[in-house]
Amino acid sequence: MRTSAIIVAAGSGSRLGAGQPKAFVTLGGRTLLAHSLATVAALRELLEVVVTVPPGMETEAHAEARRAGMTIPVKVTAGGIERQDSVRIALSLTSAESDLVVIHDAARPFASPALFERCIEAAARSGGAIAAIPVADTLKRVEKNLIAATLPRAGLYQAQTPQAFHRRLLIDAHERARAAGITATDDADLVERLGKRVEIVEAAALNLKITTPSDLQIAETIAAMLAK
Ligand code: C5P
């Protein structure tokens, strides 16, 4: 099936405190955005890539795409206020020729092409599929630094990206969410609200999300190991 990729890279990265947008922070000598571009460049049958960046970073993103040697069209746009706004803007730029859309956070530089392919294949089959890992720790709900409850972790997963969906379904989910004033932190949530099935594709803990300075330190160690 024809597929468009969306890389959301428009976050400010304020929790990282790097003094520049998170997707343009370097890891192992390349920006986080470059890591994701290289991964999608390795996918088969990809029609195009749409990248959201903070306003003013469009030229830099095009330069990254050139450096990554992308051979398919790369569209770059300023993102929106929330991640959901960025995805909606990117989605509106995807080609109507595409049957599927796969969305990825630039904040996850270690997602493999194989993980993308597994999500795309599962979404082609069932409408939607997301990378996720089973929760390993015991979860506590905490109020004012005191444990209020222990949550059973059986059946709980941490949602990651990539997340892939039939394009029309995802557009519908975003339009309905916007009309209803719903903001969600991932795309699967919006599709679930339509009562549609979304499959889990079990990923690896390696597909970590860089949010804080210590995440970046861990990622640097991993990048150095992978480079050996
Ligand atoms: O902030 P957080 O790490 O949860 O963002 C997840 C991803 O969404 C990041 O790759 C970030 O660049 C992107 N994002 C975006 N537009 C926003 C907020 C976040 O593209 N307004």
Side-chain angles (χ1 to χ4, degrees):
M1 280 188 172
R2 287 159 303 185
T3 307
S4 295
I6 292 175
I7 300 175
V8 280
S12 66
S14 51
R15 284 169 292 179
L16 194 56
Q20 60 179 325
K22 181 159 66 180
F24 293 89
V25 166
T26 54
L27 167 70
R30 282 189 296 168
T31 63
L32 294 187
L33 176 58
H35 282 270
S36 287
L37 285 168
T39 306
V40 298
L43 298 179
R44 288 170 276 135
E45 290 186 56
L46 201 64
L47 208 67
E48 60 182 359
V49 186
V50 185
V51 183
T52 70
V53 292
M57 298 300 286
E58 293 88 341
T59 310
E60 192 47 43
H62 277 296
E64 287 289 3
R66 271 194 305 279
R67 281 194 282 272
M70 304 295 294
T71 53
I72 51 173
V74 179
K75 300 172 181 168
V76 177
T77 176
I81 294 169
E82 303 289 342
R83 181 189 183 281
Q84 184 174 320
D85 302 315
S86 293
V87 174
R88 190 185 60 250
I89 293 165
L91 202 46
S92 72
L93 296 175
T94 57
S95 164
E97 305 262 288
S98 275
D99 307 298
L100 297 173
V101 173
V102 61
I103 303 152
H104 187 57
D105 290 346
R108 295 186 189 272
F110 299 122
S112 64
L115 182 61
F116 271 79
E117 305 273 9
R118 285 166 63 212
C119 290
I120 291 167
E121 277 163 27
R125 207 171 41 231
S126 56
I130 70 164
I133 55 170
V135 169
D137 298 326
T138 299
L139 298 177
K140 307 286 187 189
R141 190 168 53 245
V142 175
E143 287 162 16
K144 295 189 182 133
N145 210 39
L146 290 174
I147 294 172
T150 298
L151 309 178
R153 73 178 174 213
L156 287 185
Y157 280 71
Q158 290 173 234
Q160 303 179 335
T161 65
Q163 301 197 347
F165 306 92
H166 284 188
R167 180 175 174 274
R168 280 302 334 162
L169 172 64
L170 189 60
I171 289 173
D172 195 19
H174 271 267
E175 280 173 359
R176 300 238 204 142
R178 195 177 193 195
I182 289 162
T183 306
T185 49
D186 79 344
D187 297 282
D189 189 356
L190 304 181
V191 173
E192 291 158 42
R193 286 168 192 269
L194 299 185
K196 301 289 180 183
R197 293 187 314 163
V198 181
E199 261 189 59
I200 290 292
V201 171
E202 201 157 318
L206 180 64
N207 186 22
L208 61 93
K209 182 171 165 200
I210 297 174
T211 305
T212 64
S214 71
D215 296 333
L216 188 59
Q217 273 177 356
I218 293 167
E220 284 289 5
T221 309
I222 295 170
M225 275 169 46
L226 294 175
K228 276 186 190 154

